[in-house]
Amino acid sequence: MVVTNTNLTDVKIVEPAVFGDHRGFFTESYSEKDFKAAGIDFDFIQDNHSLSTQPGVLRGLHFQKGKSAQTKLIRVVTGAVLDVIVDIRKGSPTYGKWEGYILSEYNHRQLLVPKGYAHGFVTLTPDVNFLYKCDNYYDAQADGGIAFDDPELAIDWPIAIDKAITSDKDKKHPTLKEFEADNPFVYGEI
């Protein structure tokens, strides 16, 4: 397993060993022991799975607030996505910065997204099966989000944003600036 730091604090790309032959491949996608040895020590307690049936599905940018904040370990088992994370921790040296990573069934990459980051993705292929582990349970009362089309973030989505297939809920999220007054995330306190 190879773990790579990104330009955003505590965000990591995890690339498990993949053993392939004429039949296909085998990979151990998660081993608590190996992750702890690599400095990734979270008690993941919930697995989530979403299916997006067509290219251009945009989900996010989501997060959980307060005591329900979540660290996520994300991977794609079929298809490909551009996965985007935004640092929303007030006082962070990378506050308001975003990065995007291609996660696919072919590269087997996983992304560790810590508490205090908004997260979303856009599908690049049909039939994307997107899986993620969380270290906290989902709480509808703590659900939060910021606008995927926030002009100040200027996320470089690989699709025409007006053509994105998204939920009504995701279309109504505030911009990061609008969210700032109610932002519970403070760098160093999560």
Side-chain angles (χ1 to χ4, degrees), residues 26-45:
F26 172 83
T27 187
E28 191 173 78
S29 61
Y30 180 76
S31 164
E32 182 180 54
K33 172 182 59 92
D34 292 344
F35 272 66
K36 283 184 178 182
I40 301 172
D41 189 5
F42 297 96
D43 292 323
F44 293 113
I45 59 172

PDB file of all heavy atoms in Angstrom, residues 26-45:
ATOM      1  N   PHE A  26      -6.834  -9.106  -7.592  1.00  0.00           N
ATOM      2  CA  PHE A  26      -7.197  -9.152  -6.183  1.00  0.00           C
ATOM      3  C   PHE A  26      -6.534  -7.957  -5.515  1.00  0.00           C
ATOM      4  O   PHE A  26      -5.377  -7.637  -5.792  1.00  0.00           O
ATOM      5  CB  PHE A  26      -6.709 -10.437  -5.504  1.00  0.00           C
ATOM      6  CG  PHE A  26      -6.901 -10.403  -4.007  1.00  0.00           C
ATOM      7  CD1 PHE A  26      -8.126 -10.724  -3.441  1.00  0.00           C
ATOM      8  CD2 PHE A  26      -5.871 -10.001  -3.168  1.00  0.00           C
ATOM      9  CE1 PHE A  26      -8.311 -10.658  -2.060  1.00  0.00           C
ATOM     10  CE2 PHE A  26      -6.045  -9.934  -1.798  1.00  0.00           C
ATOM     11  CZ  PHE A  26      -7.270 -10.267  -1.247  1.00  0.00           C
ATOM     12  N   THR A  27      -7.276  -7.291  -4.647  1.00  0.00           N
ATOM     13  CA  THR A  27      -6.712  -6.232  -3.822  1.00  0.00           C
ATOM     14  C   THR A  27      -7.372  -6.261  -2.455  1.00  0.00           C
ATOM     15  O   THR A  27      -8.562  -6.568  -2.349  1.00  0.00           O
ATOM     16  CB  THR A  27      -6.866  -4.846  -4.484  1.00  0.00           C
ATOM     17  OG1 THR A  27      -6.146  -3.880  -3.716  1.00  0.00           O
ATOM     18  CG2 THR A  27      -8.310  -4.418  -4.599  1.00  0.00           C
ATOM     19  N   GLU A  28      -6.593  -5.971  -1.456  1.00  0.00           N
ATOM     20  CA  GLU A  28      -7.134  -5.818  -0.104  1.00  0.00           C
ATOM     21  C   GLU A  28      -7.425  -4.333   0.060  1.00  0.00           C
ATOM     22  O   GLU A  28      -6.516  -3.524   0.245  1.00  0.00           O
ATOM     23  CB  GLU A  28      -6.086  -6.287   0.912  1.00  0.00           C
ATOM     24  CG  GLU A  28      -6.619  -6.429   2.308  1.00  0.00           C
ATOM     25  CD  GLU A  28      -5.582  -7.070   3.224  1.00  0.00           C
ATOM     26  OE1 GLU A  28      -4.655  -6.348   3.654  1.00  0.00           O
ATOM     27  OE2 GLU A  28      -5.695  -8.288   3.467  1.00  0.00           O
ATOM     28  N   SER A  29      -8.699  -3.958  -0.033  1.00  0.00           N
ATOM     29  CA  SER A  29      -9.050  -2.537  -0.054  1.00  0.00           C
ATOM     30  C   SER A  29      -8.948  -1.881   1.320  1.00  0.00           C
ATOM     31  O   SER A  29      -8.764  -0.665   1.403  1.00  0.00           O
ATOM     32  CB  SER A  29     -10.450  -2.337  -0.635  1.00  0.00           C
ATOM     33  OG  SER A  29     -11.412  -3.001   0.154  1.00  0.00           O
ATOM     34  N   TYR A  30      -9.052  -2.662   2.377  1.00  0.00           N
ATOM     35  CA  TYR A  30      -8.914  -2.088   3.713  1.00  0.00           C
ATOM     36  C   TYR A  30      -8.410  -3.137   4.688  1.00  0.00           C
ATOM     37  O   TYR A  30      -8.954  -4.225   4.778  1.00  0.00           O
ATOM     38  CB  TYR A  30     -10.252  -1.535   4.218  1.00  0.00           C
ATOM     39  CG  TYR A  30     -10.143  -0.928   5.599  1.00  0.00           C
ATOM     40  CD1 TYR A  30      -9.569   0.328   5.769  1.00  0.00           C
ATOM     41  CD2 TYR A  30     -10.571  -1.612   6.724  1.00  0.00           C
ATOM     42  CE1 TYR A  30      -9.426   0.886   7.033  1.00  0.00           C
ATOM     43  CE2 TYR A  30     -10.435  -1.067   7.985  1.00  0.00           C
ATOM     44  CZ  TYR A  30      -9.862   0.180   8.134  1.00  0.00           C
ATOM     45  OH  TYR A  30      -9.722   0.730   9.382  1.00  0.00           O
ATOM     46  N   SER A  31      -7.376  -2.781   5.413  1.00  0.00           N
ATOM     47  CA  SER A  31      -6.854  -3.582   6.516  1.00  0.00           C
ATOM     48  C   SER A  31      -6.544  -2.606   7.640  1.00  0.00           C
ATOM     49  O   SER A  31      -5.663  -1.752   7.500  1.00  0.00           O
ATOM     50  CB  SER A  31      -5.580  -4.321   6.103  1.00  0.00           C
ATOM     51  OG  SER A  31      -4.893  -4.779   7.259  1.00  0.00           O
ATOM     52  N   GLU A  32      -7.272  -2.701   8.718  1.00  0.00           N
ATOM     53  CA  GLU A  32      -7.065  -1.788   9.847  1.00  0.00           C
ATOM     54  C   GLU A  32      -5.595  -1.766  10.270  1.00  0.00           C
ATOM     55  O   GLU A  32      -5.014  -0.700  10.495  1.00  0.00           O
ATOM     56  CB  GLU A  32      -7.951  -2.204  11.021  1.00  0.00           C
ATOM     57  CG  GLU A  32      -7.823  -1.280  12.219  1.00  0.00           C
ATOM     58  CD  GLU A  32      -8.703  -1.720  13.370  1.00  0.00           C
ATOM     59  OE1 GLU A  32      -8.595  -2.899  13.783  1.00  0.00           O
ATOM     60  OE2 GLU A  32      -9.493  -0.897  13.847  1.00  0.00           O
ATOM     61  N   LYS A  33      -4.987  -2.935  10.327  1.00  0.00           N
ATOM     62  CA  LYS A  33      -3.584  -3.051  10.734  1.00  0.00           C
ATOM     63  C   LYS A  33      -2.670  -2.262   9.791  1.00  0.00           C
ATOM     64  O   LYS A  33      -1.819  -1.486  10.230  1.00  0.00           O
ATOM     65  CB  LYS A  33      -3.190  -4.531  10.763  1.00  0.00           C
ATOM     66  CG  LYS A  33      -1.707  -4.816  10.994  1.00  0.00           C
ATOM     67  CD  LYS A  33      -1.401  -6.304  10.959  1.00  0.00           C
ATOM     68  CE  LYS A  33      -1.765  -6.970   9.694  1.00  0.00           C
ATOM     69  NZ  LYS A  33      -0.824  -7.108   8.631  1.00  0.00           N
ATOM     70  N   ASP A  34      -2.833  -2.448   8.489  1.00  0.00           N
ATOM     71  CA  ASP A  34      -1.984  -1.767   7.518  1.00  0.00           C
ATOM     72  C   ASP A  34      -2.239  -0.257   7.504  1.00  0.00           C
ATOM     73  O   ASP A  34      -1.305   0.539   7.360  1.00  0.00           O
ATOM     74  CB  ASP A  34      -2.188  -2.338   6.114  1.00  0.00           C
ATOM     75  CG  ASP A  34      -1.675  -3.765   5.996  1.00  0.00           C
ATOM     76  OD1 ASP A  34      -0.898  -4.204   6.868  1.00  0.00           O
ATOM     77  OD2 ASP A  34      -2.061  -4.445   5.021  1.00  0.00           O
ATOM     78  N   PHE A  35      -3.500   0.138   7.626  1.00  0.00           N
ATOM     79  CA  PHE A  35      -3.805   1.563   7.652  1.00  0.00           C
ATOM     80  C   PHE A  35      -3.204   2.213   8.897  1.00  0.00           C
ATOM     81  O   PHE A  35      -2.612   3.301   8.806  1.00  0.00           O
ATOM     82  CB  PHE A  35      -5.319   1.788   7.583  1.00  0.00           C
ATOM     83  CG  PHE A  35      -5.844   1.865   6.175  1.00  0.00           C
ATOM     84  CD1 PHE A  35      -5.811   0.758   5.338  1.00  0.00           C
ATOM     85  CD2 PHE A  35      -6.366   3.044   5.674  1.00  0.00           C
ATOM     86  CE1 PHE A  35      -6.287   0.824   4.045  1.00  0.00           C
ATOM     87  CE2 PHE A  35      -6.839   3.127   4.372  1.00  0.00           C
ATOM     88  CZ  PHE A  35      -6.802   2.010   3.548  1.00  0.00           C
ATOM     89  N   LYS A  36      -3.318   1.566  10.042  1.00  0.00           N
ATOM     90  CA  LYS A  36      -2.719   2.121  11.267  1.00  0.00           C
ATOM     91  C   LYS A  36      -1.208   2.228  11.131  1.00  0.00           C
ATOM     92  O   LYS A  36      -0.607   3.219  11.551  1.00  0.00           O
ATOM     93  CB  LYS A  36      -3.102   1.284  12.488  1.00  0.00           C
ATOM     94  CG  LYS A  36      -4.511   1.544  12.951  1.00  0.00           C
ATOM     95  CD  LYS A  36      -4.853   0.790  14.216  1.00  0.00           C
ATOM     96  CE  LYS A  36      -6.265   1.134  14.651  1.00  0.00           C
ATOM     97  NZ  LYS A  36      -6.657   0.479  15.893  1.00  0.00           N
ATOM     98  N   ALA A  37      -0.575   1.229  10.527  1.00  0.00           N
ATOM     99  CA  ALA A  37       0.876   1.263  10.310  1.00  0.00           C
ATOM    100  C   ALA A  37       1.267   2.430   9.400  1.00  0.00           C
ATOM    101  O   ALA A  37       2.375   2.960   9.511  1.00  0.00           O
ATOM    102  CB  ALA A  37       1.360  -0.058   9.721  1.00  0.00           C
ATOM    103  N   ALA A  38       0.351   2.857   8.531  1.00  0.00           N
ATOM    104  CA  ALA A  38       0.604   3.980   7.629  1.00  0.00           C
ATOM    105  C   ALA A  38       0.181   5.318   8.242  1.00  0.00           C
ATOM    106  O   ALA A  38       0.201   6.347   7.572  1.00  0.00           O
ATOM    107  CB  ALA A  38      -0.130   3.757   6.301  1.00  0.00           C
ATOM    108  N   GLY A  39      -0.229   5.290   9.514  1.00  0.00           N
ATOM    109  CA  GLY A  39      -0.618   6.521  10.194  1.00  0.00           C
ATOM    110  C   GLY A  39      -2.056   6.938   9.986  1.00  0.00           C
ATOM    111  O   GLY A  39      -2.438   8.064  10.307  1.00  0.00           O
ATOM    112  N   ILE A  40      -2.871   6.044   9.448  1.00  0.00           N
ATOM    113  CA  ILE A  40      -4.295   6.325   9.237  1.00  0.00           C
ATOM    114  C   ILE A  40      -5.061   5.513  10.264  1.00  0.00           C
ATOM    115  O   ILE A  40      -5.255   4.311  10.098  1.00  0.00           O
ATOM    116  CB  ILE A  40      -4.729   5.974   7.795  1.00  0.00           C
ATOM    117  CG1 ILE A  40      -3.904   6.778   6.797  1.00  0.00           C
ATOM    118  CG2 ILE A  40      -6.213   6.229   7.607  1.00  0.00           C
ATOM    119  CD1 ILE A  40      -4.113   6.379   5.348  1.00  0.00           C
ATOM    120  N   ASP A  41      -5.456   6.179  11.331  1.00  0.00           N
ATOM    121  CA  ASP A  41      -6.031   5.483  12.484  1.00  0.00           C
ATOM    122  C   ASP A  41      -7.406   6.048  12.816  1.00  0.00           C
ATOM    123  O   ASP A  41      -7.547   6.962  13.627  1.00  0.00           O
ATOM    124  CB  ASP A  41      -5.087   5.610  13.681  1.00  0.00           C
ATOM    125  CG  ASP A  41      -5.499   4.733  14.850  1.00  0.00           C
ATOM    126  OD1 ASP A  41      -6.457   3.947  14.706  1.00  0.00           O
ATOM    127  OD2 ASP A  41      -4.871   4.849  15.907  1.00  0.00           O
ATOM    128  N   PHE A  42      -8.418   5.532  12.146  1.00  0.00           N
ATOM    129  CA  PHE A  42      -9.796   5.930  12.381  1.00  0.00           C
ATOM    130  C   PHE A  42     -10.620   4.674  12.613  1.00  0.00           C
ATOM    131  O   PHE A  42     -10.345   3.631  12.031  1.00  0.00           O
ATOM    132  CB  PHE A  42     -10.361   6.698  11.175  1.00  0.00           C
ATOM    133  CG  PHE A  42      -9.642   7.986  10.914  1.00  0.00           C
ATOM    134  CD1 PHE A  42      -8.616   8.044   9.986  1.00  0.00           C
ATOM    135  CD2 PHE A  42      -9.977   9.131  11.606  1.00  0.00           C
ATOM    136  CE1 PHE A  42      -7.935   9.226   9.744  1.00  0.00           C
ATOM    137  CE2 PHE A  42      -9.304  10.329  11.378  1.00  0.00           C
ATOM    138  CZ  PHE A  42      -8.282  10.370  10.446  1.00  0.00           C
ATOM    139  N   ASP A  43     -11.619   4.789  13.441  1.00  0.00           N
ATOM    140  CA  ASP A  43     -12.544   3.678  13.673  1.00  0.00           C
ATOM    141  C   ASP A  43     -13.730   3.849  12.731  1.00  0.00           C
ATOM    142  O   ASP A  43     -14.689   4.549  13.048  1.00  0.00           O
ATOM    143  CB  ASP A  43     -13.009   3.651  15.136  1.00  0.00           C
ATOM    144  CG  ASP A  43     -11.896   3.296  16.090  1.00  0.00           C
ATOM    145  OD1 ASP A  43     -11.057   2.449  15.725  1.00  0.00           O
ATOM    146  OD2 ASP A  43     -11.861   3.868  17.194  1.00  0.00           O
ATOM    147  N   PHE A  44     -13.634   3.237  11.559  1.00  0.00           N
ATOM    148  CA  PHE A  44     -14.719   3.337  10.588  1.00  0.00           C
ATOM    149  C   PHE A  44     -15.880   2.468  11.053  1.00  0.00           C
ATOM    150  O   PHE A  44     -15.697   1.285  11.356  1.00  0.00           O
ATOM    151  CB  PHE A  44     -14.231   2.952   9.194  1.00  0.00           C
ATOM    152  CG  PHE A  44     -13.239   3.931   8.635  1.00  0.00           C
ATOM    153  CD1 PHE A  44     -11.927   3.573   8.424  1.00  0.00           C
ATOM    154  CD2 PHE A  44     -13.633   5.231   8.333  1.00  0.00           C
ATOM    155  CE1 PHE A  44     -11.009   4.484   7.915  1.00  0.00           C
ATOM    156  CE2 PHE A  44     -12.733   6.149   7.833  1.00  0.00           C
ATOM    157  CZ  PHE A  44     -11.418   5.778   7.621  1.00  0.00           C
ATOM    158  N   ILE A  45     -17.081   3.070  11.113  1.00  0.00           N
ATOM    159  CA  ILE A  45     -18.231   2.379  11.697  1.00  0.00           C
ATOM    160  C   ILE A  45     -19.424   2.292  10.754  1.00  0.00           C
ATOM    161  O   ILE A  45     -20.426   1.665  11.083  1.00  0.00           O
ATOM    162  CB  ILE A  45     -18.678   3.046  13.018  1.00  0.00           C
ATOM    163  CG1 ILE A  45     -19.049   4.518  12.784  1.00  0.00           C
ATOM    164  CG2 ILE A  45     -17.590   2.914  14.076  1.00  0.00           C
ATOM    165  CD1 ILE A  45     -19.671   5.189  14.003  1.00  0.00           C
TER     166      ILE A  45
END
